[in-house]
């Protein structure tokens, strides 16, 4: 049995025991497949992890970079209390259209706002507008620009904001300092920025499961000193 088969089996075993059947999330995933989109969404267990983190923080304002079909967005938005808000940034109109349909069907349209276009631009607008800081930020968009996004998400944070970044391991390819893959290079530069960052306390957790071998970086925003 390959390692990946084992990861798949264990993820299925755990999800069957720990997660309730969820028609809304299943529909989101099947629409993603029908639209010909690759399986880039977080796994079900990872989605539940994000939901638990958001609930534990009592997050009222959540920012997501990279909506895709809205699967992780739904997990996160369900953690919001009455009056809470999630802003999710998406470059591709086709993805945003699909995600909006999923949010409508999930009954979450009142809590979720999709902002279309490049994340860098959307965040600059929010920074210039002086929007209230976010409590939780999930970075899961193009990895190439993670280094640019890092300083922007810090500007949209307050001391105590938790930032989680997806895909920081990529099958271990992240340690290849010769990699020509722009996504790997982007994440490597991003991780270099975390080293001794004055505003962040950081860690990373390696993960295996039905999305293969990857990992989350987690950064807690500190007060300015
Ligand atoms: C890719 C992107 C993701 O955010 C992810 O979780 C897995 C794969 C990708 O671009 O291939
Ligand atoms: Mg991802």
């Amino acid at each position: 049995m390959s390692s990946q088969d084992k990861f798949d089996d264990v993820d299925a075993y755990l999800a069957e025991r720990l997660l309730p059947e969820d028609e809304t999330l299943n529909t989101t995933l099947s629409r993603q497949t029908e639209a010909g989109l690759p399986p880039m969404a977080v796994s079900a267990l990872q989605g539940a992890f994000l939901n638990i983190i958001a609930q534990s923080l009592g997050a009222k304002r959540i920012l997501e970079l990279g909506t895709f079909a809205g699967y992780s967005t739904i997990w996160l938005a369900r953690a919001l209390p009455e009056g809470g808000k999630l802003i999710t940034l998406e470059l591709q109109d086709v993805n945003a259209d699909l995600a909006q349909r999923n949010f409508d069907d999930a009954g979450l349209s009142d809590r979720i706002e999709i902002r279309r276009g490049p994340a860098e631009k959307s965040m600059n607008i929010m920074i210039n507008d002086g929007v209230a800081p976010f409590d939780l930020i999930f970075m899961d968009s193009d990895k190439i620009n993670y280094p640019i996004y890092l300083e922007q998400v810090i500007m949209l944070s307050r001391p105590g904001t938790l930032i989680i970044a997806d895909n920081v391991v990529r099958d271990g390819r992240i340690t290849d300092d010769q990699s020509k893959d722009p996504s790997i290079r982007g994440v490597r530069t991003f991780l270099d920025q975390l080293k001794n960052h004055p505003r962040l306390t950081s860690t990373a957790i390696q993960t295996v499961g039905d999305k293969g071998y990857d990992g989350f970086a987690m950064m807690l925003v500190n007060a300015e000193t």
Side-chain angles (χ1 to χ4, degrees), residues 38-42 140-141 143 146 166-167 170 183 211 214:
M40 298 199 303
V42 298
D140 193 18
S141 56
K143 320 308 166 200
Y146 270 20
D166 194 23
N167 307 116
R170 305 312 282 270
S183 297
K211 286 203 63 195
D214 215 319

Side-chain angles (χ1 to χ4, degrees), residues 33-100:
T33 309
E34 281 159 25
L37 297 170
M40 298 199 303
V42 298
S43 72
L45 291 159
Q46 289 173 338
F49 170 77
L50 294 172
N51 178 278
I52 288 170
I53 294 286
Q55 287 198 61
S56 306
L57 292 173
K60 295 184 180 66
R61 283 177 59 77
I62 300 175
L63 175 65
E64 179 181 61
L65 278 55
T67 315
F68 202 46
Y71 183 79
S72 52
T73 325
I74 291 173
W75 276 108
L76 285 164
R78 283 177 173 171
L80 289 169
E82 197 66 41
K85 173 145 188 175
L86 187 155
I87 295 178
T88 181
L89 312 181
E90 176 56 46
L91 179 64
Q92 306 284 348
D93 276 328
V94 280
N95 296 349
D97 290 344
L98 177 55
Q100 187 62 59

Side-chain angles (χ1 to χ4, degrees), residues 27-188:
T27 303
T28 296
L29 288 182
S30 50
R31 282 177 184 164
Q32 182 183 291
T33 309
E34 281 159 25
L37 297 170
M40 298 199 303
V42 298
S43 72
L45 291 159
Q46 289 173 338
F49 170 77
L50 294 172
N51 178 278
I52 288 170
I53 294 286
Q55 287 198 61
S56 306
L57 292 173
K60 295 184 180 66
R61 283 177 59 77
I62 300 175
L63 175 65
E64 179 181 61
L65 278 55
T67 315
F68 202 46
Y71 183 79
S72 52
T73 325
I74 291 173
W75 276 108
L76 285 164
R78 283 177 173 171
L80 289 169
E82 197 66 41
K85 173 145 188 175
L86 187 155
I87 295 178
T88 181
L89 312 181
E90 176 56 46
L91 179 64
Q92 306 284 348
D93 276 328
V94 280
N95 296 349
D97 290 344
L98 177 55
Q100 187 62 59
R101 193 171 146 215
N102 290 327
F103 303 153
D104 293 342
D105 292 353
L108 291 166
S109 317
D110 58 333
R111 274 180 262 182
I112 302 173
E113 182 188 335
I114 306 175
R115 297 215 178 159
R116 297 169 186 241
E120 185 182 0
K121 193 174 160 195
S122 295
M123 285 194 281
N124 272 335
I125 291 170
M126 287 192 280
I127 292 163
N128 289 333
D129 285 352
V131 300
F134 293 92
D135 306 308
L136 173 64
I137 301 177
F138 181 50
M139 299 174 62
D140 193 18
S141 56
D142 56 309
K143 320 308 166 200
I144 301 169
N145 291 315
Y146 270 20
I148 292 169
Y149 301 151
L150 179 65
E151 292 308 319
Q152 292 188 300
V153 295
I154 292 171
M155 283 192 265
L156 293 165
S157 296
R158 55 164 172 82
T161 295
L162 182 66
I163 305 166
I164 301 178
D166 194 23
N167 307 116
V168 300
V169 173
R170 305 312 282 270
D171 260 312
R173 287 185 293 132
I174 198 65
T175 58
D176 178 6
D177 60 6
Q178 303 299 310
S179 178
K180 296 200 166 49
D181 180 337
S183 297
I184 296 291
R185 294 173 70 98
V187 176
R188 283 180 59 87

